[in-house]
Amino acid sequence: MNKIMIVEDDTKIAELLHSHIEKYGYEATITKDFNHVLDLFHNIMPDLVLLDVNLPSFDGYYWCRQIRSISTCPIIFISARAGEMDQVMALENGADDYITKPFYYDVVMAKIRSHLRRAYGAYAPKMEERIVEQAGLTLYPERMELKLGEQITALTKKEAVLLETLLKRFPRVVSRETLLEKLWDDQSYVDDNTLNVNITRVRKKLQELGIHDAIETVRGAGYRFNVTYYNGETE
């Protein structure tokens, strides 16, 4: 059963969307706390998000960027803002579609079904999953998961990008400039501090798997991945 997350602060609209979505056999969840939208996303891991633009605290464009940093699931904006630039901004911030209010619920359901088919169903591209492996440590970039033996830890998009680059370049040193370029995207500015923070986070994720000192800082050059474990077991 596909899961749909509804991020809409108009209670009546949110409940009507919830009713229509569940009538068609999907599981729907309405966002209640608009300060922690990403936390709810992490908890339920929806297959598609319906997202309003005008929200308390942070607007829909902000939350779209946050979701895009960790997921490629379809995001459909539903908003009373019908201006051309509003729709352009939604698409530029990572949305897949834009529906203006007032809308027909059957049209919303048709778009939901269409995007689910394109992302996961009959129209989804048949591509082999990328897997990066080094001495028993396996990275699944699309899943944003790292596995060692029977242990698995979840990664953010930036953590997965860093690890993929370091593992592919093993045992060579990867320059800071190369890593900064890999982390750069259209939604966020990346500087040295951002790189340092994400390297620290990657080290913590490796420690969750019992791997210590695997990412070496090479002064004046960059970073290098080292195998400090053997066949899935730490030394």
Side-chain angles (χ1 to χ4, degrees):
M1 181 184 293
N2 290 114
K3 293 181 286 187
I4 314 296
M5 180 175 167
I6 303 167
V7 189
E8 166 63 68
D9 64 337
D10 185 315
T11 304
K12 183 177 179 180
I13 292 177
E15 290 178 351
L16 284 170
L17 283 168
H18 183 276
S19 176
H20 275 77
I21 289 168
E22 298 223 321
K23 183 175 73 174
Y24 281 87
Y26 302 114
E27 179 183 338
T29 301
I30 297 175
T31 303
K32 304 290 187 181
D33 184 352
F34 294 98
N35 290 313
H36 299 93
V37 172
L38 199 62
D39 291 338
L40 178 61
F41 184 93
H42 271 295
N43 289 337
I44 67 175
M45 294 304 291
D47 299 297
L48 182 144
V49 177
L50 295 178
L51 182 61
D52 194 6
V53 174
N54 295 322
L55 296 169
S57 301
F58 301 97
D59 64 22
Y61 305 133
Y62 170 83
W63 289 118
C64 187
R65 292 194 302 273
Q66 299 305 304
I67 292 169
R68 273 290 165 263
S69 71
I70 60 170
S71 174
T72 58
C73 80
I75 299 174
I76 303 175
F77 270 91
I78 298 181
S79 176
R81 293 165 64 166
E84 179 181 326
M85 282 310 300
D86 294 307
Q87 299 182 48
V88 169
M89 286 182 64
L91 297 172
E92 290 291 336
N93 279 282
D96 297 283
D97 210 334
Y98 195 101
I99 301 172
T100 57
K101 299 175 183 176
F103 52 81
Y104 292 102
Y105 287 93
D106 287 343
V107 171
V108 175
M109 292 310 307
K111 284 182 174 287
I112 287 174
R113 291 194 297 271
S114 174
H115 282 287
L116 289 174
R117 284 197 303 269
R118 289 182 182 278
Y120 314 108
Y123 304 146
K126 302 300 187 288
M127 298 174 61
E128 289 190 10
E129 182 177 17
R130 290 199 338 272
I131 298 174
V132 183
E133 191 270 341
Q134 191 58 246
L137 180 67
T138 306
L139 171 68
Y140 300 92
E142 279 97 1
R143 299 186 212 174
M144 293 185 287
E145 290 181 349
L146 188 64
K147 182 177 180 181
L148 181 67
E150 298 302 315
Q151 300 181 84
I152 298 175
T153 188
L155 304 170
T156 66
K157 182 180 178 180
K158 284 184 168 54
E159 290 166 358
V161 168
L162 282 177
L163 264 174
E164 182 175 6
T165 306
L166 290 166
L167 289 172
K168 283 183 173 179
R169 299 289 183 91
F170 173 84
R172 293 169 290 170
V173 175
V174 183
S175 70
R176 294 181 64 88
E177 291 74 18
T178 296
L179 293 174
L180 284 166
E181 183 178 334
K182 292 287 185 181
L183 289 181
W184 181 274
D185 58 36
D186 292 335
Q187 284 83 43
S188 61
Y189 172 72
V190 178
D191 56 17
D192 277 349
N193 186 59
T194 303
L195 176 59
N196 295 337
V197 168
N198 280 279
I199 286 289
T200 299
R201 289 175 178 168
V202 170
R203 284 171 169 154
K204 288 181 179 178
K205 293 296 176 69
L206 289 168
Q207 289 170 14
E208 290 177 10
L209 299 178
I211 299 174
H212 300 272
D213 304 320
I215 298 181
E216 174 190 0
T217 301
V218 181
R219 192 174 298 277
Y223 297 93
R224 173 169 48 208
F225 184 83
N226 293 311
V227 177
T228 58
Y229 54 93
Y230 179 70
N231 287 340
E233 296 183 2
T234 54
E235 295 181 338

